[in-house]
Amino acid sequence: MIKNYNFKVLLMLVIFWIYFFSTILANYFQHYEYIFTDRNHIKKYEVFSDIRTFYGYIDLEDGMYPEGQVGDFRIKEVYEDKNYFIGYDFENNYKTNKIEKRYYIVIDKNKATMKTYNEEDFKEKYENIYNKKFIDIYTFLKRKGTKIGKYR
């Protein structure tokens, strides 16, 4: 009876550790991807996550980034409605723990355009959206995105 009990406990421990490590590995190698188009289906936009840093990235259109930089815009928070997809990144001053500058990427789904703005220009042009609730990109991608099993 004791041998049978020890075997069951050992088997349960082995199963637990297999489950534990497979869950960690599965989460490490998975990321989320969200693909959408404009209203007329002219352009396709891809937003993807980086599970290790909890940022999202969107592929920029040709000519939107300075030479030598990667073609992705890093996104920390996002807002989406039927007309716009807006994401922003910000610089954080670690000494004061305050946000210093924000940079916005705005995709107009009606015109199929993508533009970047600094905070002042964005606030001036999109005053009605500036005060809307932006959500964390990782939360957004978990709700709307597709889980991809391989890491980029």
Side-chain angles (χ1 to χ4, degrees), residues 48-86:
F48 52 93
S49 68
D50 181 354
I51 190 73
R52 290 179 284 178
T53 59
F54 298 106
Y55 295 122
Y57 297 89
I58 188 165
D59 291 330
L60 294 174
E61 294 175 346
D62 294 336
M64 286 192 66
Y65 50 94
E67 190 173 321
Q69 286 188 347
V70 295
D72 300 329
F73 182 89
R74 186 170 76 176
I75 299 172
K76 292 184 182 175
E77 293 193 2
V78 67
Y79 168 82
E80 184 183 39
D81 63 15
K82 65 180 182 172
N83 298 316
Y84 297 103
F85 177 89
I86 301 170

Side-chain angles (χ1 to χ4, degrees), residues 30-141:
Q30 289 179 342
H31 74 117
Y32 290 92
E33 184 174 57
Y34 174 58
I35 298 172
F36 65 96
T37 62
D38 59 274
R39 285 206 168 176
N40 298 319
H41 302 288
I42 297 170
K43 294 181 184 174
K44 185 167 80 170
Y45 303 95
E46 179 184 3
V47 181
F48 52 93
S49 68
D50 181 354
I51 190 73
R52 290 179 284 178
T53 59
F54 298 106
Y55 295 122
Y57 297 89
I58 188 165
D59 291 330
L60 294 174
E61 294 175 346
D62 294 336
M64 286 192 66
Y65 50 94
E67 190 173 321
Q69 286 188 347
V70 295
D72 300 329
F73 182 89
R74 186 170 76 176
I75 299 172
K76 292 184 182 175
E77 293 193 2
V78 67
Y79 168 82
E80 184 183 39
D81 63 15
K82 65 180 182 172
N83 298 316
Y84 297 103
F85 177 89
I86 301 170
Y88 76 82
D89 185 25
F90 55 83
E91 293 177 4
N92 196 2
N93 185 331
Y94 293 103
K95 291 180 182 176
T96 62
N97 201 23
K98 291 187 180 180
I99 296 171
E100 290 187 346
K101 295 181 183 177
R102 295 180 196 220
Y103 302 96
Y104 292 82
I105 184 86
V106 178
I107 297 172
D108 187 333
K109 294 179 182 179
N110 298 319
K111 299 177 185 173
T113 59
M114 175 187 280
K115 293 183 181 175
T116 56
Y117 295 94
N118 61 25
E119 186 171 17
E120 295 81 25
D121 294 341
F122 178 79
K123 188 175 183 179
E124 184 178 304
K125 185 162 184 168
Y126 298 99
E127 181 179 344
N128 57 338
I129 296 176
Y130 180 75
N131 295 322
K132 298 263 181 171
K133 178 74 173 145
F134 283 77
I135 63 170
D136 176 73
I137 185 66
Y138 197 68
T139 304
F140 174 82
L141 287 171

